[in-house]
Amino acid sequence: MRVFVLGLDGATWDMLEPLIQDGLMPNLARLREEGAWGSLRSVFPPLSPVAWTAVMTGKNSGKHGIFEFLEHGHDPLKGKVNSSRAIQSKLLWEIAQQYGKKTVAGGVPMSYPPRPAKQFPGFFLGDFLSPADSADFTSDPALFAELEKAVGPYQPWSTSIH
């Protein structure tokens, strides 16, 4: 069985539908016609880092430990960018690995750096929080080079992960 999950952060069908109808998103139109689709009811609080981590873990923020992109601890002046290291639950692809499944995880917020595993079963690509030129940004540098050739160079949002 193959499963493909595409998440478009902040995109709602009232935004996407006119683009699909105007022929500007033919691939999304085809995916919608040939697959299952719907509106996602978000988590509470409805913030991207909380929601994406819930998708990756199947748990709420009280169980996965992510509440925002930045973690301030007890000192709001010493904030740091959250990363996969702060997630307190197994990720979907880590669970799949336990059952011998291969996965592709690319550009999922809060998924960088790849967490320790004997071998990543498939392909991993970091997200916009990944530091530039990090050796572990991708599990397949050659494939990543092909992607950059097709879509342009990776531009990080943050240059440091703690």
Side-chain angles (χ1 to χ4, degrees):
M1 170 189 264
R2 291 185 183 193
V3 176
F4 176 74
V5 177
L6 173 66
L8 302 172
D9 196 313
T12 59
W13 290 112
D14 60 328
M15 290 173 33
L16 297 171
E17 187 63 37
L19 299 171
I20 291 171
Q21 294 304 318
D22 289 346
L24 298 172
M25 300 188 84
N27 294 325
L28 184 59
R30 191 177 82 247
L31 283 171
R32 193 168 74 160
E33 288 170 10
E34 296 176 10
W37 61 277
S39 294
L40 174 69
R41 283 191 251 169
S42 195
V43 296
F44 184 82
L47 303 170
S48 293
V50 178
W52 283 109
T53 307
V55 168
M56 288 189 290
T57 65
K59 296 181 179 180
N60 65 36
S61 56
K63 292 184 179 176
H64 63 57
I66 299 297
F67 298 92
E68 187 46 88
F69 279 121
L70 300 176
E71 176 58 53
H72 300 287
H74 296 290
D75 185 349
L77 299 176
K78 293 187 179 178
K80 65 177 183 169
V81 175
N82 264 326
S83 72
S84 66
R85 293 180 184 122
I87 300 172
Q88 300 168 9
S89 299
K90 286 185 181 180
L91 305 179
L92 181 62
W93 47 87
E94 292 168 344
I95 295 167
Q97 177 184 7
Q98 289 179 309
Y99 292 92
K101 304 296 181 187
K102 289 185 179 180
T103 60
V104 174
V108 181
M110 310 298 297
S111 65
Y112 180 85
R115 297 184 343 167
K118 292 179 183 167
Q119 180 181 5
F120 189 80
F123 179 69
F124 174 82
L125 181 65
D127 63 19
F128 69 98
L129 296 170
S130 307
D133 303 321
S134 58
D136 59 354
F137 177 70
T138 180
S139 61
D140 187 337
L143 181 55
F144 178 61
E146 287 183 45
L147 288 170
E148 279 196 311
K149 193 174 185 181
V151 299
Y154 165 67
Q155 297 292 317
W157 173 68
S158 170
T159 58
S160 64
I161 297 285
H162 301 280

